[in-house]
Amino acid sequence: MATQQGNGGNGGSTGGPQNPGGGPTAGSTPGAGGTGGGGFRGRKVTNCSFCGKSSREVGPMVEGPNDIYICSNCTELCQNIFRQEKRKVSGSKPMFGQIPAPRQLKEFMDQYVIGQESAKRAMSVAVHLHYKRLQHTDAGGTDEIEIDKSNVLLIGPTGSGKTLLAKTLARCLNVPFAIGDATTLTEAGYVGEDVENLLLKLLQNADYDLDAAQRGIIYIDEIDKIGKTNMNVSITRDVSGEGVQQALLKMLEGTMANVPPQGGRKHPEQQYIQVDTTHILFICGGTFVGLEDIIGRRLGRKMIGFNSEAEGRDTTEKKKGELLGKVIPDDLIEYGMIPEFIGRLPVVATLMPLTVEAMKQIITEPKNALVKQYIKFFQMEGCDLAFTEGALLLIAEKALKRDTGARALRSVMEELMQDLMYKLPDLQERGKYIITEAVIRGEAALFDTKPLPLKETAA
């Protein structure tokens, strides 16, 4: 190999007469011969000046002046480094140039989440103050006032929009945002994820930019699943309940956390990334099933009785929402959260249970509304689709009975549309189909009726 590199000018003698004295090519010196028809046979074997691998291992290389070579792997790595550096520069400049007002954040969330005004306001104000606090820190803190963070706790029934609020918020922020799940967390040393893995997700979303990650926002979902169990008959430690709350205490308040770069369990010999959580905003969300009963007992009300069935579902759900709005820290402590944990979540926002009217709005108004999605599917097949007001109301009522919130809308729509979507591509007659109450109840088939012509509907 050394001999071939030394005889760069005589490459034509090994490469045959196909390219005598040719111009410079990838992976060869000036005057190198042809390939001889088999891989790098007859071509000068070169080594990458960056990683040291030979052209036999990595393929053709790009030659620079003074016998400098670079392979495709190193070129890719360089491109990734350039991309990350550009992202850091572009991401850091506008971060504090214009702080979004709480009204702007709320209006953006209104496009995707129906209702839940108080929760949207709480999150908008929390994020706005987070930006202000970071701006104050960057200014060097010329005055003696220190601005602390106010972590947020979201409480609401399943399917009311807690996770969707967090995901929607992540779209419009200039700071790194990560969504974690509390159900997989355990105490350090036990099977499961350590709490530091939440910080690892934030680091990954910030492309391992430590400064950016230390200004980010973390949303911890299913926080009620780490409540301590009062009826636990086991004598062992509650490693996925109270133990996780204790592990999260210092992280929520602000500490230097050791984060393993690859995640997983910690090892004594492992190198850690030290992350300061002082300026990281934490938003926690949970369903807290049964919390309304605890609040009702404190207020001297009862949620069940002879009149509860007669009152109707809407009235019962409304009463549940009113009770959740009166939650105090004592109720959460009785539920199973430890006082130290609740004390680190000073802002509590409740989400109301969804009503029939809200369900109807959810399937029609947001950008990702289910009705809009199915209309798009029909348009892809050259047809059009419409729903009557009565049909939409019936879908909302059926979904509300399932007690899973807005998630039930998709299952109801899937059951309704599955047979229609199966037959749609094979239809001979194209036009506008209208789904009525009879179709929802199963009394009539959609494709048995003649569709309206598309020209008439367009006019």
Side-chain angles (χ1 to χ4, degrees):
M1 188 181 298
T3 313
Q4 288 177 334
Q5 287 181 351
N7 297 331
N10 299 327
S13 60
T14 56
Q18 290 91 342
N19 186 22
T25 57
S28 64
T29 56
T35 59
F40 288 96
R41 185 180 171 188
R43 180 178 289 182
K44 175 186 166 186
V45 178
T46 55
N47 291 327
C48 177
S49 305
F50 293 85
C51 65
K53 292 182 180 177
S54 69
S55 54
R56 294 186 188 277
E57 298 175 72
V58 294
M61 299 187 191
V62 176
E63 181 187 2
N66 301 324
D67 286 339
I68 300 293
Y69 296 91
I70 185 168
C71 65
S72 57
N73 295 344
C74 292
T75 309
E76 234 174 273
L77 186 62
C78 292
Q79 285 295 330
N80 289 334
I81 293 171
F82 289 141
R83 262 196 297 270
Q84 287 180 11
E85 289 300 320
K86 283 179 184 176
R87 200 178 292 127
K88 285 179 191 175
V89 172
S90 61
S92 60
K93 281 182 181 176
M95 187 179 287
F96 309 114
Q98 184 181 3
I99 299 175
R103 178 186 51 80
Q104 292 175 319
L105 292 170
K106 182 185 171 297
E107 285 174 358
F108 184 83
M109 288 190 278
D110 284 340
Q111 298 176 16
Y112 295 91
V113 184
I114 298 296
Q116 314 301 358
E117 299 299 315
S118 61
K120 287 179 190 171
R121 284 172 180 267
M123 290 188 74
S124 301
V125 170
V127 171
H128 175 75
L129 294 180
H130 179 64
Y131 274 91
K132 288 278 190 185
R133 184 174 61 253
L134 294 178
Q135 190 182 46
H136 179 266
T137 307
D138 279 1
T142 51
D143 50 12
E144 295 179 357
I145 299 172
E146 293 183 6
I147 304 177
D148 293 331
K149 64 180 177 182
S150 296
N151 297 321
V152 184
L153 175 63
L154 297 178
I155 300 174
T158 180
S160 57
K162 297 183 297 296
T163 311
L164 182 61
L165 274 173
K167 287 181 178 176
T168 307
L169 197 61
R171 298 185 187 188
C172 62
L173 294 184
N174 289 326
V175 292
F177 191 99
I179 298 178
D181 193 354
T183 53
T184 58
L185 300 177
T186 56
E187 268 188 84
Y190 291 87
V191 174
E193 290 189 4
D194 293 343
V195 292
E196 285 82 10
N197 281 0
L198 296 171
L199 299 175
L200 179 64
K201 289 180 183 176
L202 189 66
L203 264 174
Q204 290 170 343
N205 290 352
D207 289 325
Y208 287 92
D209 182 356
L210 190 58
D211 290 335
Q214 290 178 160
R215 303 155 172 258
I217 300 174
I218 295 180
Y219 176 77
I220 308 176
D221 207 0
E222 310 292 352
I223 200 70
D224 57 313
K225 305 303 184 290
I226 60 171
K228 62 180 180 182
T229 52
N230 297 324
M231 302 300 292
N232 190 9
V233 295
S234 174
I235 60 171
T236 57
R237 288 175 64 87
D238 187 12
V239 296
S240 62
E242 187 180 358
V244 178
Q245 292 186 55
Q246 292 167 351
L248 282 169
L249 292 180
K250 292 305 292 179
M251 187 186 293
L252 290 176
E253 192 172 14
T255 186
M256 279 298 244
N258 291 324
V259 181
Q262 305 302 325
R265 300 182 66 177
K266 294 181 179 178
H267 302 287
E269 300 84 11
Q270 196 174 11
Q271 294 292 325
Y272 297 117
I273 301 172
Q274 287 200 322
V275 179
D276 185 7
T277 65
T278 307
H279 298 298
I280 296 177
L281 179 69
F282 288 89
I283 301 173
C284 303
T287 307
F288 292 92
V289 177
L291 183 64
E292 64 273 3
D293 298 331
I294 295 172
I295 302 168
R297 283 199 300 271
R298 175 173 57 83
L299 296 174
R301 302 180 191 178
K302 54 182 181 178
M303 292 298 299
I304 57 173
F306 293 109
N307 294 327
S308 62
E309 291 293 329
E311 284 177 347
R313 182 176 292 273
D314 272 3
T315 311
T316 308
E317 294 295 326
K318 190 177 179 183
K319 285 187 176 180
K320 280 185 182 179
E322 288 173 359
L323 282 176
L324 283 176
K326 296 176 181 176
V327 65
I328 61 172
D330 288 347
D331 301 323
L332 295 167
I333 292 166
E334 188 179 343
Y335 184 85
M337 313 307 285
I338 59 178
E340 307 96 292
F341 186 80
I342 295 302
R344 287 165 170 82
L345 297 166
V347 181
V348 178
T350 55
L351 286 83
M352 298 292 287
L354 298 172
T355 60
V356 174
E357 190 57 38
M359 290 284 232
K360 184 181 163 189
Q361 288 178 296
I362 288 169
I363 51 174
T364 54
E365 291 183 11
K367 283 189 174 182
N368 56 347
L370 284 169
V371 167
K372 293 179 182 177
Q373 292 180 33
Y374 279 107
I375 289 174
K376 188 66 180 174
F377 283 136
F378 267 68
Q379 289 173 350
M380 288 177 181
E381 298 291 343
C383 298
D384 202 359
L385 181 68
F387 290 78
T388 63
E389 285 295 315
L392 292 172
L393 201 62
L394 206 56
I395 291 171
E397 287 172 357
K398 287 179 74 174
L400 197 63
K401 289 177 184 175
R402 302 197 178 190
D403 288 327
T404 53
R407 291 188 181 94
L409 286 168
R410 182 168 285 279
S411 58
V412 170
M413 287 288 283
E414 288 288 344
E415 290 170 9
L416 168 68
M417 302 298 294
Q418 191 176 52
D419 190 49
L420 305 180
M421 298 305 294
Y422 179 79
K423 296 175 181 176
L424 180 62
D426 299 325
L427 283 179
Q428 300 297 325
E429 200 167 7
R430 302 293 173 184
K432 181 174 183 177
Y433 292 90
I434 298 175
I435 294 181
T436 61
E437 296 173 60
V439 177
I440 304 292
R441 294 195 192 98
E443 298 168 0
L446 178 66
F447 295 133
D448 288 350
T449 57
K450 191 174 181 180
L452 298 173
L454 288 174
K455 290 181 181 177
E456 287 183 17
T457 58

